[in-house]
Amino acid sequence: MASKNSTLKWHLPLVKSTLVMFIILMPAPCSTTKVECNEPNQPALLEALTPVFNLSTIRPVMNLTTCTKVNTFFTLYGILGVDEKAQLLITYLWLEYWWMNEFVSWDPTQCGTNRISLPRDEFWVPDIVINQFMDENTAPSVPYVYLYNDGSVHDSLPVRCVSSCNLNTYTFPFDIQNCTLTFGSYLHLAKDIRVFLGKSAANITEYSKNVMTTMGEWELLDITSVKHNASPNDFDELIFYISVRRRPTMYVVNLLIPSCFLITIDLFSFLLPPQNVDRSSFKMTLILGYTVFLLIMNDLLPITGDTIPLINVFFSLCLALMVASLLETIIITKLLCGSSNSSPVPRWIQVVVLQILAHLVCMPRRDKDADVELSSVVAKSKADEWPPEERGAAMNNKALQELRSLGRDLQAIRLQVEQKTGENQSSEDWVQVGLVIDRLLFIFYILFISVSFFTIIVIWVNSYGQ
Ligand SMILES: *[C@@H]1O[C@H](CO)[C@@H](O)[C@H](O)[C@H]1NC(C)=O
Ligand SMILES: *[C@@H]1O[C@H](CO)[C@@H](O)[C@H](O)[C@H]1NC(C)=O
Ligand SMILES: *[C@@H]1O[C@H](CO)[C@@H](O)[C@H](O)[C@H]1NC(C)=O
Ligand SMILES: *[C@@H]1O[C@H](CO)[C@@H](O)[C@H](O)[C@H]1NC(C)=O
């Protein structure tokens, strides 16, 4: 009898524990299991919860066909940066999860509290991951979760999220990046775990904008979310789109404005006389300065192998324009300096350049005033030559001879002057050709600058105003 009693005693804890297990696993009508506390305080609650901890390895549902609904949202606490080379977006998130643990529920008055924080290790937690996650989470780890009296579990943790993002830097520094964060269970199918949005995307955006401390050069535009209805044998996903815009001020001040200054100076250097070498050496100096500027500012530019940012095209264009204008100056200088002892301007160049183009660029042909003056002076001297001779009959021979030699001298001078004038004429024509072409290329230069800069600016404005 005693032995029977002892075996009964021996088996009692086992029976008790299986009973507890049975009660826990039994599908209750309210689908949660009541936890009974002896006293309304935390130690008693903890003691009463202990059996639940042994079940931490299984999904907390009574009936396996029940799927665990995980509600989630995040607050974007900081945009730490964007790595264009590695195509990464680095953000700091506060993640929030809620789900139901059907193994537990208690009466808040009986146990003295409606929630208790307990180590996360004691519970089953959903294996939700962000698919784009590319690096270790270096945010501080938080070991606790909140357990509520109705069995809901609230998990909250900070994450330094290094997520891959398809960055498009074509319109840098006026670019808007649209990055994706996909939340989903890594292992469980949709019939086991489903992810739902716990807060409207508009509220997430608004709250994130309010609490955001560090944005660097990025400004949060919008957070939107998309939820596709996954079939039970598929993976359930909740997709967030984070849209951020770069603040371009730094790049405008450091890169674009200096470039525009240099191009303006290059433009105005066309006002320097092309005849002397000053203009080409001035332009040479400009190109040198611009090259040094680009070398220094190279660190600010994004490096991506994918597409060439428009700003690089802009810089190349500026440099190309400077080089082209230097080339033009060299050619014009050659035309002007080498013209003095060359042959007269060919007929067709006279027609095309001096008549047609000169009118186009509003540089009318130089008037012949100087020549007219010169020939009139010569004619006058010719006329003056004769009358004294008429009256010379009465004069003595000496005076006559004097006058004759004077006349010969004048004739020689006249010949010389005429020869010089002819030479001057051809050299002046060449100078005129040079000046007309210089003016024409200057107009082309202005047109090209205006059109290309206008195009680039329109593209930037369009992308920034999206
Ligand atoms: C929990 O499991 C441990 C062994 O893993 C066991 O010793 C303990 O009795 C169990 N507790 C309950 C309440 O079932
Ligand atoms: C689980 O739930 C399904 C559907 O809700 C039901 O058909 C099935 O009988 C339940 N299983 C148990 C063991 O209660
Ligand atoms: C971001 O991209 C997704 C998918 O391509 C699109 O649905 C969403 O509207 C985009 N968001 C913004 C702000 O452009
Ligand atoms: C969003 O916030 C407003 C007020 O801040 C609130 O009334 C509304 O319920 C919130 N919506 C969601 C889905 O949380």
Side-chain angles (χ1 to χ4, degrees):
M1 198 63 198
S3 69
K4 210 178 178 185
N5 217 349
S6 73
T7 44
L8 197 74
K9 255 184 197 162
W10 179 250
H11 280 127
L12 208 59
L14 199 77
V15 169
K16 211 173 176 181
S17 73
T18 39
L19 199 73
V20 166
M21 288 291 278
F22 179 72
I23 289 170
I24 286 169
L25 289 174
M26 195 186 72
C30 61
S31 84
T32 54
T33 314
K34 274 268 189 217
V35 169
E36 305 289 344
C37 305
N38 300 328
E39 285 171 77
N41 57 24
Q42 280 210 62
L45 179 58
L46 183 64
E47 203 191 324
L49 282 173
T50 316
V52 176
F53 298 156
N54 272 21
L55 300 170
S56 70
T57 47
I58 54 170
R59 196 157 63 85
V61 285
M62 293 301 175
N63 184 340
L64 259 184
T65 57
T66 317
C67 90
T68 302
K69 297 188 174 98
V70 180
N71 284 306
T72 182
F73 74 87
F74 64 86
T75 303
L76 188 60
Y77 186 61
I79 303 170
L80 304 183
V82 162
D83 185 344
E84 285 95 0
K85 197 171 185 181
Q87 299 270 302
L88 295 174
L89 171 75
I90 304 155
T91 47
Y92 197 83
L93 308 176
W94 290 337
L95 293 184
E96 311 269 344
Y97 299 112
W98 280 278
W99 67 91
M100 288 299 290
N101 187 328
E102 292 183 2
F103 295 159
V104 58
S105 84
W106 71 86
D107 182 6
T109 48
Q110 188 188 16
C111 297
T113 177
N114 72 334
R115 67 174 183 189
I116 182 170
S117 69
L118 291 165
R120 186 182 288 114
D121 300 342
E122 304 284 5
F123 291 95
W124 176 91
V125 286
D127 58 340
I128 307 272
V129 292
I130 300 172
N131 285 355
Q132 285 79 12
F133 216 92
M134 284 293 139
D135 206 349
E136 203 182 342
N137 177 17
T138 49
S141 69
V142 180
Y144 297 106
V145 296
Y146 259 131
L147 180 66
Y148 285 80
N149 68 301
D150 62 350
S152 64
V153 185
H154 178 202
D155 190 5
S156 175
L157 66 164
V159 174
R160 182 178 178 273
C161 175
V162 179
S163 59
S164 70
C165 178
N166 198 3
L167 300 169
N168 183 1
T169 51
Y170 177 64
T171 53
F172 173 91
F174 302 97
D175 49 340
I176 293 174
Q177 306 296 350
N178 186 359
C179 293
T180 317
L181 294 182
T182 310
F183 286 73
S185 167
Y186 190 77
L187 176 76
H188 295 88
L189 298 175
K191 62 184 173 191
D192 291 333
I193 291 183
R194 278 186 187 271
V195 194
F196 292 96
L197 187 62
K199 193 176 176 182
S200 77
N203 281 16
I204 293 177
T205 310
E206 199 190 323
Y207 190 62
S208 297
K209 278 180 180 171
N210 286 343
V211 298
M212 193 171 293
T213 49
T214 159
M215 291 193 276
E217 57 171 307
W218 295 91
E219 176 190 2
L220 175 66
L221 279 188
D222 198 17
I223 299 173
T224 51
S225 94
V226 173
K227 167 93 184 141
H228 300 295
N229 268 332
S231 71
N233 286 321
D234 219 340
F235 290 101
D236 194 45
E237 280 179 348
L238 179 66
I239 303 170
F240 288 99
Y241 295 111
I242 301 177
S243 155
V244 292
R245 175 163 67 186
R246 197 191 297 267
R247 287 186 227 262
T249 325
M250 199 254 287
Y251 299 97
V252 171
V253 170
N254 284 345
L255 293 175
L256 296 182
I257 291 183
S259 270
C260 291
F261 283 164
L262 288 180
I263 272 289
T264 314
I265 292 176
D266 191 47
L267 202 63
F268 275 90
S269 69
F270 274 95
L271 299 179
L272 292 175
Q275 285 93 336
N276 55 36
V277 193
D278 266 4
R279 184 152 120 186
S280 56
S281 57
F282 180 78
K283 282 180 186 277
M284 196 66 224
T285 320
L286 265 187
I287 291 180
L288 196 66
Y290 194 63
T291 317
V292 173
F293 163 77
L294 283 187
L295 273 182
I296 293 171
M297 291 303 163
N298 205 22
D299 290 348
L300 288 180
L301 295 177
I303 313 149
T304 42
D306 220 19
T307 48
I308 296 175
L310 205 56
I311 196 166
N312 289 17
V313 177
F314 177 83
F315 289 143
S316 304
L317 194 69
C318 286
L319 195 61
L321 284 173
M322 287 179 183
V323 170
S325 84
L326 176 63
L327 266 182
E328 187 262 13
T329 304
I330 289 172
I331 290 167
I332 297 298
T333 310
K334 159 81 184 130
L335 207 60
L336 296 181
C337 292
S339 62
S340 47
N341 46 9
S342 60
S343 52
V345 180
R347 186 77 205 144
W348 66 272
I349 292 185
Q350 280 199 5
V351 171
V352 172
V353 176
L354 294 182
Q355 284 170 20
I356 301 173
L357 289 184
H359 279 289
L360 273 181
V361 301
C362 304
M363 260 179 101
R365 186 127 166 61
R366 269 174 73 134
D367 44 18
K368 291 278 173 59
D369 278 358
D371 307 344
V372 170
E373 224 169 82
L374 197 67
S375 43
S376 73
V377 166
V378 171
K380 222 166 159 194
S381 72
K382 235 187 222 171
D384 286 348
E385 218 172 314
W386 299 112
E389 215 189 8
E390 297 281 328
R391 281 179 277 126
M395 305 278 183
N396 56 19
N397 266 355
K398 217 171 186 187
L400 190 72
Q401 223 137 30
E402 196 88 354
L403 279 171
R404 282 233 171 100
S405 81
L406 203 67
R408 270 199 298 278
D409 285 352
L410 275 174
Q411 202 117 27
I413 289 170
R414 188 196 153 193
L415 258 175
Q416 196 108 23
V417 165
E418 266 176 358
Q419 210 178 338
K420 256 293 187 286
T421 315
E423 235 171 55
N424 266 1
Q425 187 57 44
S426 94
S427 131
E428 260 169 31
D429 278 354
W430 275 117
V431 169
Q432 187 69 10
V433 168
L435 290 178
V436 167
I437 292 179
D438 185 43
R439 174 76 70 92
L440 184 77
L441 291 180
F442 176 54
I443 290 173
F444 274 140
Y445 187 74
I446 291 181
L447 276 182
F448 188 71
I449 284 187
S450 318
V451 169
S452 47
F453 280 25
F454 182 75
T455 315
I456 288 177
I457 286 170
V458 162
I459 294 176
W460 275 338
V461 166
N462 258 358
S463 106
Y464 195 64
Q466 256 175 22

